[in-house]
Amino acid sequence: MNFENQGIIKRLAVVLGNGDAQGAEVFAETVTQGDPTYAGPLAGVPLKIPVYHVLEDEVMAVVPEKLREERLQLSSLVIDVEPMRQVLQASREKL
């Protein structure tokens, strides 16, 4: 991979939209620390890509208001984002 593509990858963040904190924690660990069950060349390789939930303040701040109202308002009413924030913050702190 050339240096330009490596720079792009390093600026990435994964954004989740599910409502299950336990599932989000497993996904975040896989993306940040690596997947030890994968049998390919990236087995256990830590990608160190930060993971956020779409309803976290950091993400909501960059989503245009109209899009938030159209696409995220219902989710914000039914998903308790605090447990997500806690597990995803913990995964980001390990980076």
Side-chain angles (χ1 to χ4, degrees):
M1 182 182 300
N2 66 35
F3 288 119
E4 181 181 348
N5 288 340
Q6 288 178 17
I8 291 169
I9 296 295
K10 289 179 180 180
R11 289 191 304 266
L12 290 177
V14 175
V15 178
L16 303 176
N18 69 351
D20 175 35
Q22 195 171 32
E25 183 176 25
V26 170
F27 183 83
E29 182 177 317
T30 299
V31 173
T32 58
Q33 304 302 313
D35 184 353
T37 65
Y38 182 69
L42 292 177
V45 174
L47 300 177
K48 298 187 178 185
I49 299 173
V51 181
Y52 293 85
H53 192 275
V54 70
L55 297 177
E56 283 189 85
D57 293 339
E58 297 90 338
V59 177
M60 293 293 278
V62 297
V63 175
E65 184 177 349
K66 183 175 179 171
L67 185 58
R68 284 194 314 259
E69 291 172 0
E70 291 176 359
R71 303 291 180 181
L72 300 174
Q73 188 171 11
L74 182 59
S75 293
S76 69
L77 296 174
V78 296
I79 294 175
D80 182 6
V81 76
E82 186 55 27
M84 301 288 188
R85 189 196 65 70
Q86 290 175 4
V87 298
L88 297 178
Q89 177 64 36
S91 77
R92 292 190 298 264
E93 289 173 358
K94 292 178 184 178
L95 298 177

Coordinates of all heavy atoms in Angstrom, one line a residue:
M1 N 0.9 -1.2 0.0 CA 0.0 0.0 0.0 C 0.9 1.2 0.0 O 1.8 1.3 0.8 CB -0.9 0.0 1.2 CG -1.9 1.1 1.3 SD -2.9 1.1 2.8 CE -3.7 -0.4 2.7
N2 N 0.6 2.2 -0.9 CA 1.4 3.4 -0.9 C 1.2 4.3 0.2 O 0.2 4.2 1.0 CB 1.3 4.1 -2.3 CG -0.1 4.7 -2.5 OD1 -0.7 5.1 -1.5 ND2 -0.6 4.7 -3.7
F3 N 2.1 5.3 0.4 CA 2.0 6.2 1.6 C 0.7 7.0 1.6 O 0.1 7.3 2.6 CB 3.2 7.1 1.6 CG 4.4 6.4 2.1 CD1 5.5 6.3 1.2 CD2 4.5 5.7 3.3 CE1 6.7 5.7 1.6 CE2 5.6 5.1 3.7 CZ 6.7 5.0 2.8
E4 N 0.2 7.4 0.4 CA -1.0 8.2 0.3 C -2.2 7.4 0.9 O -3.0 7.9 1.7 CB -1.3 8.6 -1.1 CG -2.6 9.5 -1.2 CD -2.9 9.9 -2.7 OE1 -2.0 9.7 -3.5 OE2 -4.0 10.3 -2.9
N5 N -2.3 6.1 0.4 CA -3.4 5.3 0.9 C -3.3 5.0 2.4 O -4.3 4.9 3.1 CB -3.5 4.0 0.1 CG -4.0 4.2 -1.3 OD1 -4.6 5.2 -1.6 ND2 -3.7 3.3 -2.2
Q6 N -2.1 4.8 2.9 CA -1.9 4.6 4.3 C -2.3 5.8 5.1 O -3.0 5.7 6.2 CB -0.4 4.3 4.6 CG 0.1 3.0 4.1 CD 1.6 2.8 4.4 OE1 2.2 3.5 5.2 NE2 2.1 1.8 3.7
G7 N -2.1 7.0 4.6 CA -2.5 8.2 5.3 C -4.0 8.3 5.3 O -4.6 8.7 6.3
I8 N -4.7 7.9 4.2 CA -6.2 7.9 4.2 C -6.7 6.9 5.2 O -7.6 7.3 6.0 CB -6.7 7.6 2.8 CG1 -6.3 8.7 1.8 CG2 -8.2 7.3 2.8 CD1 -6.6 8.4 0.4
I9 N -6.1 5.8 5.3 CA -6.6 4.7 6.2 C -6.4 5.2 7.7 O -7.3 5.1 8.5 CB -5.8 3.4 6.1 CG1 -6.1 2.8 4.7 CG2 -6.1 2.4 7.2 CD1 -7.5 2.3 4.5
K10 N -5.3 5.9 8.0 CA -5.1 6.4 9.3 C -6.1 7.5 9.8 O -6.3 7.8 10.9 CB -3.7 6.9 9.5 CG -2.7 5.8 9.4 CD -1.3 6.4 9.6 CE -0.3 5.2 9.5 NZ 1.1 5.7 9.6
R11 N -6.8 8.1 8.8 CA -7.8 9.2 9.1 C -9.2 8.6 9.3 O -10.1 9.3 9.6 CB -7.8 10.3 8.1 CG -6.5 11.1 8.1 CD -6.7 12.3 7.2 NE -7.0 12.0 5.9 CZ -6.1 11.9 4.9 NH1 -4.9 12.1 5.1 NH2 -6.5 11.6 3.6
L12 N -9.3 7.3 9.0 CA -10.6 6.7 9.1 C -11.2 6.5 10.5 O -10.4 6.4 11.5 CB -10.6 5.3 8.4 CG -10.4 5.3 6.9 CD1 -10.3 3.8 6.5 CD2 -11.6 6.0 6.2
A13 N -12.4 6.5 10.6 CA -13.1 6.1 11.8 C -14.3 5.2 11.4 O -14.9 5.4 10.4 CB -13.6 7.3 12.6
V14 N -14.6 4.2 12.2 CA -15.7 3.3 12.0 C -16.9 3.9 12.8 O -16.7 4.2 13.9 CB -15.4 1.9 12.4 CG1 -16.6 1.0 12.2 CG2 -14.3 1.3 11.5
V15 N -18.0 4.0 12.1 CA -19.2 4.5 12.8 C -20.3 3.4 12.8 O -20.6 2.8 11.8 CB -19.8 5.7 12.1 CG1 -21.1 6.2 12.8 CG2 -18.8 6.8 12.1
L16 N -20.8 3.0 14.0 CA -21.8 2.0 14.2 C -23.1 2.6 14.4 O -23.2 3.7 14.9 CB -21.5 1.2 15.4 CG -20.1 0.5 15.4 CD1 -19.9 -0.3 16.7 CD2 -20.0 -0.5 14.3
G17 N -24.2 1.9 14.0 CA -25.5 2.4 14.2 C -26.4 1.4 15.0 O -27.6 1.7 15.2
N18 N -25.8 0.3 15.4 CA -26.7 -0.7 16.1 C -27.0 -0.2 17.5 O -26.4 0.7 18.0 CB -26.0 -2.1 16.1 CG -24.8 -2.2 16.9 OD1 -24.3 -1.2 17.4 ND2 -24.3 -3.4 17.1
G19 N -27.9 -1.0 18.2 CA -28.3 -0.6 19.5 C -27.9 -1.5 20.6 O -28.4 -1.5 21.7
D20 N -26.9 -2.4 20.3 CA -26.5 -3.4 21.2 C -25.1 -3.1 21.7 O -24.1 -3.3 20.9 CB -26.6 -4.8 20.6 CG -26.0 -5.9 21.5 OD1 -26.2 -5.8 22.7 OD2 -25.4 -6.9 20.9
A21 N -24.9 -2.7 22.9 CA -23.6 -2.3 23.4 C -22.6 -3.5 23.4 O -21.4 -3.4 23.1 CB -23.7 -1.7 24.8
Q22 N -23.1 -4.7 23.7 CA -22.2 -5.9 23.8 C -21.7 -6.2 22.4 O -20.5 -6.5 22.2 CB -23.0 -7.1 24.4 CG -22.1 -8.2 24.8 CD -22.9 -9.3 25.5 OE1 -24.1 -9.5 25.3 NE2 -22.2 -9.9 26.5
G23 N -22.6 -6.1 21.4 CA -22.1 -6.4 20.0 C -21.2 -5.3 19.5 O -20.2 -5.6 18.8
A24 N -21.4 -4.0 19.9 CA -20.6 -2.9 19.5 C -19.2 -3.1 20.2 O -18.2 -2.8 19.5 CB -21.2 -1.6 20.0
E25 N -19.1 -3.6 21.4 CA -17.9 -3.8 22.0 C -17.0 -4.9 21.3 O -15.8 -4.7 21.1 CB -18.1 -4.3 23.5 CG -16.8 -4.5 24.3 CD -17.1 -4.8 25.7 OE1 -18.2 -5.3 26.0 OE2 -16.2 -4.5 26.6
V26 N -17.6 -6.0 20.9 CA -16.9 -7.0 20.1 C -16.4 -6.5 18.8 O -15.3 -6.7 18.4 CB -17.9 -8.3 19.9 CG1 -17.2 -9.2 18.9 CG2 -18.2 -8.9 21.2
F27 N -17.3 -5.7 18.1 CA -16.9 -5.1 16.8 C -15.7 -4.2 17.0 O -14.7 -4.2 16.3 CB -18.1 -4.4 16.2 CG -17.7 -3.9 14.8 CD1 -17.7 -4.7 13.7 CD2 -17.3 -2.6 14.7 CE1 -17.4 -4.2 12.5 CE2 -17.0 -2.0 13.5 CZ -17.0 -2.8 12.3
A28 N -15.8 -3.3 18.0 CA -14.8 -2.3 18.3 C -13.4 -3.0 18.6 O -12.4 -2.6 18.1 CB -15.2 -1.4 19.4
E29 N -13.5 -4.1 19.4 CA -12.3 -4.8 19.7 C -11.6 -5.4 18.5 O -10.4 -5.4 18.3 CB -12.6 -5.9 20.7 CG -11.3 -6.6 21.2 CD -11.6 -7.7 22.2 OE1 -12.4 -7.4 23.2 OE2 -11.0 -8.8 22.1
T30 N -12.5 -5.9 17.6 CA -12.0 -6.5 16.4 C -11.3 -5.5 15.5 O -10.2 -5.7 14.9 CB -13.2 -7.2 15.6 OG1 -13.7 -8.2 16.4 CG2 -12.7 -7.8 14.3
V31 N -11.9 -4.3 15.4 CA -11.4 -3.3 14.5 C -10.1 -2.6 15.1 O -9.2 -2.3 14.4 CB -12.5 -2.2 14.2 CG1 -11.9 -1.0 13.5 CG2 -13.6 -2.8 13.4
T32 N -10.1 -2.4 16.4 CA -9.0 -1.7 17.0 C -7.8 -2.7 17.4 O -6.7 -2.3 17.1 CB -9.4 -1.0 18.3 OG1 -10.0 -1.9 19.2 CG2 -10.4 0.1 18.0
Q33 N -8.1 -3.8 17.9 CA -7.1 -4.7 18.4 C -6.8 -5.9 17.4 O -5.8 -6.5 17.6 CB -7.5 -5.3 19.7 CG -7.8 -4.3 20.8 CD -6.6 -3.3 21.0 OE1 -5.5 -3.8 21.2 NE2 -6.9 -2.1 21.1
G34 N -7.6 -6.1 16.5 CA -7.4 -7.2 15.5 C -8.3 -8.4 15.8 O -8.8 -8.5 16.9
D35 N -8.5 -9.2 14.8 CA -9.4 -10.4 14.9 C -8.5 -11.6 15.0 O -8.0 -12.1 14.0 CB -10.3 -10.4 13.7 CG -11.3 -11.5 13.8 OD1 -11.2 -12.4 14.8 OD2 -12.2 -11.6 13.0
P36 N -8.4 -12.2 16.2 CA -7.5 -13.4 16.3 C -8.1 -14.6 15.6 O -7.4 -15.6 15.4 CB -7.4 -13.6 17.8 CG -8.7 -13.0 18.3 CD -9.0 -11.8 17.4
T37 N -9.4 -14.6 15.3 CA -10.0 -15.8 14.6 C -9.9 -15.8 13.1 O -10.1 -16.7 12.5 CB -11.5 -15.8 15.0 OG1 -12.2 -14.7 14.4 CG2 -11.8 -15.9 16.5
Y38 N -9.4 -14.6 12.6 CA -9.3 -14.5 11.1 C -8.1 -15.4 10.7 O -7.0 -15.3 11.3 CB -9.1 -13.1 10.7 CG -9.0 -12.8 9.2 CD1 -10.1 -13.0 8.4 CD2 -7.8 -12.4 8.7 CE1 -9.9 -12.8 7.0 CE2 -7.7 -12.2 7.3 CZ -8.7 -12.4 6.5 OH -8.6 -12.2 5.2
A39 N -8.2 -16.1 9.6 CA -7.1 -17.0 9.2 C -6.2 -16.4 8.2 O -5.2 -17.1 7.7 CB -7.7 -18.3 8.7
G40 N -6.4 -15.2 7.8 CA -5.6 -14.6 6.7 C -4.4 -13.9 7.3 O -4.0 -14.0 8.5
P41 N -3.7 -13.1 6.4 CA -2.5 -12.4 6.8 C -2.7 -11.3 7.9 O -1.8 -10.8 8.5 CB -2.0 -11.8 5.5 CG -3.2 -11.7 4.6 CD -4.0 -12.9 5.0
L42 N -4.0 -10.9 8.1 CA -4.3 -9.8 9.1 C -4.8 -10.4 10.4 O -5.3 -9.7 11.2 CB -5.3 -8.9 8.5 CG -4.9 -8.0 7.4 CD1 -6.0 -7.1 6.9 CD2 -3.7 -7.1 7.8
A43 N -4.6 -11.7 10.6 CA -5.0 -12.4 11.8 C -4.4 -11.7 13.0 O -3.2 -11.7 13.2 CB -4.7 -13.8 11.8
G44 N -5.2 -11.1 13.9 CA -4.7 -10.5 15.1 C -4.0 -9.2 14.9 O -3.4 -8.7 15.9
V45 N -4.0 -8.7 13.7 CA -3.3 -7.4 13.4 C -4.1 -6.2 13.9 O -5.3 -6.1 13.5 CB -3.0 -7.2 11.9 CG1 -2.4 -5.9 11.6 CG2 -2.0 -8.3 11.4
P46 N -3.6 -5.4 14.8 CA -4.4 -4.3 15.3 C -4.5 -3.2 14.3 O -3.5 -2.7 13.8 CB -3.7 -3.8 16.6 CG -2.3 -4.3 16.4 CD -2.4 -5.6 15.5
L47 N -5.7 -2.9 13.8 CA -5.9 -1.9 12.8 C -5.9 -0.5 13.4 O -5.7 0.5 12.7 CB -7.2 -2.1 12.0 CG -7.2 -3.5 11.3 CD1 -8.6 -3.6 10.6 CD2 -6.1 -3.6 10.3
K48 N -6.2 -0.4 14.7 CA -6.2 0.9 15.4 C -7.0 2.0 14.8 O -6.7 3.1 14.7 CB -4.7 1.4 15.6 CG -3.9 0.4 16.4 CD -2.6 0.9 16.8 CE -1.9 -0.1 17.6 NZ -0.6 0.3 18.1
I49 N -8.2 1.5 14.3 CA -9.2 2.5 13.7 C -10.2 2.8 14.8 O -10.8 1.9 15.3 CB -9.9 1.9 12.5 CG1 -8.8 1.6 11.4 CG2 -10.9 2.8 12.0 CD1 -9.4 0.8 10.2
P50 N -10.4 4.1 15.2 CA -11.3 4.4 16.2 C -12.8 4.1 15.8 O -13.1 4.2 14.6 CB -11.1 5.9 16.5 CG -10.5 6.4 15.2 CD -9.7 5.2 14.6
V51 N -13.6 3.7 16.8 CA -15.0 3.3 16.5 C -15.9 4.2 17.3 O -15.6 4.4 18.5 CB -15.2 1.8 16.9 CG1 -16.6 1.4 16.6 CG2 -14.2 0.9 16.2
Y52 N -16.9 4.7 16.7 CA -17.9 5.6 17.3 C -19.3 5.1 17.0 O -19.5 4.5 16.0 CB -17.8 7.1 16.7 CG -16.5 7.8 17.1 CD1 -15.4 7.6 16.3 CD2 -16.5 8.6 18.2 CE1 -14.2 8.3 16.7 CE2 -15.3 9.3 18.5 CZ -14.2 9.1 17.8 OH -13.0 9.7 18.1
H53 N -20.2 5.4 17.8 CA -21.6 5.2 17.5 C -22.2 6.4 16.8 O -21.8 7.6 17.2 CB -22.4 4.9 18.8 CG -23.8 4.4 18.5 ND1 -24.9 5.2 18.2 CD2 -24.2 3.1 18.3 CE1 -25.9 4.5 17.9 NE2 -25.6 3.2 18.0
V54 N -23.1 6.3 15.9 CA -23.6 7.4 15.1 C -24.3 8.4 16.0 O -24.3 9.6 15.6 CB -24.5 6.9 14.0 CG1 -25.8 6.3 14.6 CG2 -24.8 8.0 13.0
L55 N -24.7 8.0 17.2 CA -25.4 9.0 18.1 C -24.5 9.6 19.1 O -24.9 10.4 19.9 CB -26.6 8.3 18.8 CG -27.7 7.8 17.9 CD1 -28.8 7.0 18.7 CD2 -28.3 8.9 17.1
E56 N -23.2 9.3 19.0 CA -22.3 10.0 19.9 C -22.1 11.4 19.5 O -22.2 11.8 18.3 CB -20.9 9.3 19.9 CG -20.9 8.0 20.7 CD -19.5 7.5 20.9 OE1 -18.8 7.9 21.8 OE2 -19.1 6.6 20.1
D57 N -21.8 12.3 20.5 CA -21.7 13.7 20.2 C -20.7 14.1 19.1 O -21.0 15.0 18.3 CB -21.4 14.5 21.5 CG -22.5 14.4 22.5 OD1 -23.6 14.2 22.1 OD2 -22.2 14.7 23.7
E58 N -19.6 13.4 19.1 CA -18.6 13.7 18.1 C -19.0 13.5 16.7 O -18.7 14.2 15.8 CB -17.3 12.8 18.3 CG -16.6 13.0 19.6 CD -17.1 12.1 20.8 OE1 -18.3 11.6 20.7 OE2 -16.4 11.9 21.7
V59 N -19.9 12.5 16.5 CA -20.4 12.2 15.2 C -21.6 13.1 14.8 O -21.7 13.7 13.8 CB -20.9 10.7 15.0 CG1 -21.5 10.4 13.7 CG2 -19.7 9.8 15.3
M60 N -22.5 13.3 15.8 CA -23.6 14.1 15.6 C -23.2 15.5 15.2 O -23.9 16.2 14.5 CB -24.5 14.1 16.8 CG -25.2 12.8 17.1 SD -26.4 12.3 15.9 CE -27.8 13.2 16.5
A61 N -22.1 16.0 15.8 CA -21.7 17.4 15.5 C -21.3 17.6 14.0 O -21.4 18.7 13.6 CB -20.5 17.7 16.4
V62 N -20.9 16.5 13.3 CA -20.6 16.7 11.9 C -21.6 16.3 10.9 O -21.5 16.4 9.7 CB -19.2 16.0 11.6 CG1 -18.1 16.6 12.4 CG2 -19.4 14.5 11.8
V63 N -22.7 15.7 11.5 CA -23.9 15.3 10.6 C -24.8 16.6 10.4 O -25.2 17.2 11.4 CB -24.7 14.2 11.2 CG1 -25.9 13.9 10.4 CG2 -23.8 12.9 11.4
P64 N -25.1 16.9 9.2 CA -25.9 18.1 9.0 C -27.3 17.9 9.7 O -27.8 16.8 9.8 CB -26.1 18.1 7.4 CG -24.9 17.4 6.9 CD -24.6 16.4 7.9
E65 N -27.8 19.0 10.2 CA -29.0 19.0 11.0 C -30.2 18.3 10.2 O -30.9 17.5 10.8 CB -29.4 20.4 11.4 CG -30.7 20.4 12.3 CD -31.0 21.8 12.8 OE1 -30.2 22.8 12.6 OE2 -32.1 22.0 13.3
K66 N -30.4 18.6 9.0 CA -31.5 18.0 8.2 C -31.3 16.5 8.2 O -32.3 15.8 8.3 CB -31.5 18.6 6.8 CG -32.7 18.1 6.0 CD -32.8 18.7 4.7 CE -34.0 18.1 3.9 NZ -34.3 18.8 2.7
L67 N -30.1 16.0 8.0 CA -29.9 14.6 7.9 C -30.1 14.0 9.3 O -30.7 12.9 9.4 CB -28.5 14.3 7.4 CG -28.1 12.8 7.2 CD1 -29.0 12.2 6.2 CD2 -26.6 12.7 6.8
R68 N -29.7 14.6 10.4 CA -30.0 14.1 11.7 C -31.5 14.0 11.9 O -31.9 13.0 12.5 CB -29.4 15.1 12.8 CG -27.9 15.0 12.9 CD -27.4 15.7 14.2 NE -28.0 17.0 14.4 CZ -27.4 18.2 14.2 NH1 -26.2 18.2 13.7 NH2 -28.0 19.3 14.4
E69 N -32.2 15.0 11.5 CA -33.7 14.9 11.7 C -34.3 13.8 10.9 O -35.2 13.1 11.4 CB -34.3 16.3 11.3 CG -34.0 17.4 12.3 CD -34.4 18.8 11.8 OE1 -35.0 18.8 10.7 OE2 -34.2 19.7 12.5
E70 N -33.9 13.7 9.6 CA -34.5 12.7 8.7 C -34.1 11.2 9.1 O -34.9 10.3 9.0 CB -34.1 13.0 7.3 CG -34.7 14.2 6.7 CD -34.2 14.5 5.3 OE1 -33.3 13.8 4.8 OE2 -34.6 15.5 4.7
R71 N -32.8 11.0 9.5 CA -32.3 9.7 9.6 C -32.0 9.2 11.0 O -31.9 8.0 11.2 CB -31.0 9.5 8.7 CG -31.2 9.9 7.3 CD -32.1 8.8 6.6 NE -32.2 9.2 5.2 CZ -32.9 8.5 4.4 NH1 -33.6 7.4 4.8 NH2 -33.1 8.9 3.1
L72 N -31.7 10.1 11.9 CA -31.3 9.7 13.2 C -32.2 10.0 14.4 O -32.0 9.5 15.5 CB -29.9 10.3 13.5 CG -28.8 10.0 12.5 CD1 -27.5 10.8 12.8 CD2 -28.5 8.5 12.5
Q73 N -33.2 10.8 14.1 CA -34.1 11.2 15.2 C -34.8 10.0 15.8 O -34.9 9.9 17.0 CB -35.2 12.2 14.7 CG -36.0 12.8 15.8 CD -36.8 13.9 15.3 OE1 -37.0 14.2 14.1 NE2 -37.4 14.7 16.2
L74 N -35.3 9.1 15.0 CA -36.0 7.9 15.6 C -35.0 7.0 16.4 O -35.3 6.6 17.5 CB -36.7 7.1 14.5 CG -37.4 5.9 14.9 CD1 -38.6 6.3 15.9 CD2 -38.0 5.1 13.7
S75 N -33.8 6.8 15.8 CA -32.8 6.0 16.6 C -32.5 6.7 17.9 O -32.3 6.0 18.9 CB -31.6 5.9 15.7 OG -31.8 5.1 14.6
S76 N -32.4 8.0 17.9 CA -32.1 8.6 19.2 C -33.1 8.5 20.2 O -32.9 8.6 21.4 CB -31.8 10.1 18.9 OG -32.9 10.8 18.6
L77 N -34.4 8.2 19.8 CA -35.5 8.0 20.8 C -35.5 6.5 21.3 O -36.0 6.3 22.4 CB -36.8 8.3 20.1 CG -37.0 9.7 19.7 CD1 -38.3 9.8 18.9 CD2 -37.0 10.6 20.8
V78 N -34.9 5.6 20.6 CA -35.0 4.2 21.0 C -33.7 3.5 21.5 O -33.7 2.5 22.1 CB -35.7 3.3 19.9 CG1 -37.1 3.7 19.7 CG2 -34.9 3.3 18.6
I79 N -32.6 4.2 21.1 CA -31.3 3.6 21.5 C -30.7 4.4 22.7 O -30.6 5.6 22.6 CB -30.3 3.7 20.3 CG1 -30.8 2.7 19.2 CG2 -28.9 3.3 20.7 CD1 -30.0 2.8 17.9
D80 N -30.3 3.7 23.7 CA -29.6 4.3 24.8 C -28.1 4.4 24.4 O -27.4 3.4 24.5 CB -29.8 3.5 26.1 CG -29.2 4.1 27.3 OD1 -28.6 5.3 27.2 OD2 -29.2 3.5 28.4
V81 N -27.7 5.5 24.1 CA -26.3 5.7 23.5 C -25.3 5.6 24.6 O -24.1 5.3 24.3 CB -26.2 6.9 22.7 CG1 -26.1 8.2 23.5 CG2 -25.0 6.9 21.8
E82 N -25.6 5.8 25.9 CA -24.6 5.9 26.9 C -23.8 4.6 27.1 O -22.6 4.6 27.2 CB -25.2 6.3 28.3 CG -24.2 6.5 29.4 CD -23.1 7.5 29.0 OE1 -23.3 8.4 28.2 OE2 -22.0 7.3 29.6
P83 N -24.5 3.4 27.1 CA -23.7 2.2 27.2 C -22.8 2.0 26.0 O -21.6 1.5 26.1 CB -24.7 1.1 27.2 CG -26.0 1.7 27.7 CD -25.9 3.1 27.2
M84 N -23.2 2.4 24.8 CA -22.4 2.4 23.6 C -21.2 3.3 23.8 O -20.1 2.9 23.5 CB -23.2 2.9 22.4 CG -24.4 2.2 22.0 SD -24.0 0.6 21.4 CE -25.6 0.2 20.9
R85 N -21.4 4.5 24.2 CA -20.4 5.5 24.4 C -19.3 4.9 25.3 O -18.1 5.1 25.1 CB -20.9 6.8 24.9 CG -19.9 7.9 24.9 CD -20.3 9.1 25.7 NE -20.4 8.8 27.2 CZ -19.3 8.5 27.9 NH1 -18.1 8.5 27.5 NH2 -19.5 8.2 29.2
Q86 N -19.7 4.3 26.4 CA -18.8 3.8 27.4 C -17.9 2.7 26.8 O -16.7 2.8 27.0 CB -19.6 3.3 28.6 CG -20.2 4.3 29.4 CD -21.0 3.8 30.6 OE1 -21.1 2.6 30.8 NE2 -21.7 4.7 31.3
V87 N -18.5 1.7 26.1 CA -17.6 0.6 25.6 C -16.8 1.1 24.4 O -15.6 0.7 24.3 CB -18.5 -0.6 25.2 CG1 -19.2 -1.2 26.3 CG2 -19.4 -0.3 24.0
L88 N -17.3 2.0 23.6 CA -16.5 2.5 22.5 C -15.4 3.5 22.9 O -14.3 3.5 22.4 CB -17.4 3.1 21.4 CG -18.4 2.2 20.8 CD1 -19.3 2.9 19.8 CD2 -17.7 1.0 20.2
Q89 N -15.7 4.3 23.9 CA -14.7 5.2 24.5 C -13.6 4.3 25.1 O -12.4 4.6 24.9 CB -15.3 6.1 25.6 CG -14.3 6.9 26.3 CD -13.6 7.9 25.3 OE1 -14.3 8.5 24.4 NE2 -12.4 8.2 25.5
A90 N -13.9 3.2 25.7 CA -12.9 2.3 26.3 C -12.0 1.8 25.2 O -10.8 1.7 25.3 CB -13.5 1.2 27.1
S91 N -12.6 1.4 24.0 CA -11.8 0.9 22.9 C -10.9 2.0 22.3 O -9.8 1.7 21.9 CB -12.7 0.3 21.9 OG -13.4 1.2 21.1
R92 N -11.4 3.2 22.3 CA -10.6 4.3 21.7 C -9.4 4.6 22.6 O -8.4 5.0 22.2 CB -11.5 5.5 21.5 CG -12.5 5.3 20.4 CD -13.2 6.6 20.0 NE -13.9 7.2 21.0 CZ -15.3 7.1 21.2 NH1 -16.0 6.3 20.4 NH2 -15.9 7.7 22.2
E93 N -9.6 4.5 23.9 CA -8.6 4.8 24.9 C -7.4 3.7 24.8 O -6.3 4.0 25.1 CB -9.1 4.8 26.3 CG -10.0 6.0 26.6 CD -10.7 6.0 27.9 OE1 -10.5 5.0 28.7 OE2 -11.4 7.0 28.2
K94 N -7.7 2.6 24.3 CA -6.7 1.5 24.1 C -5.8 1.8 22.9 O -4.8 1.2 22.7 CB -7.3 0.2 23.9 CG -8.0 -0.3 25.2 CD -8.6 -1.7 24.9 CE -9.4 -2.1 26.1 NZ -10.1 -3.4 25.9
L95 N -6.2 2.8 22.0 CA -5.4 3.1 20.8 C -4.2 3.8 21.3 O -3.2 4.0 20.8 CB -6.2 3.9 19.8 CG -7.5 3.2 19.3 CD1 -8.2 4.2 18.4 CD2 -7.1 2.0 18.5

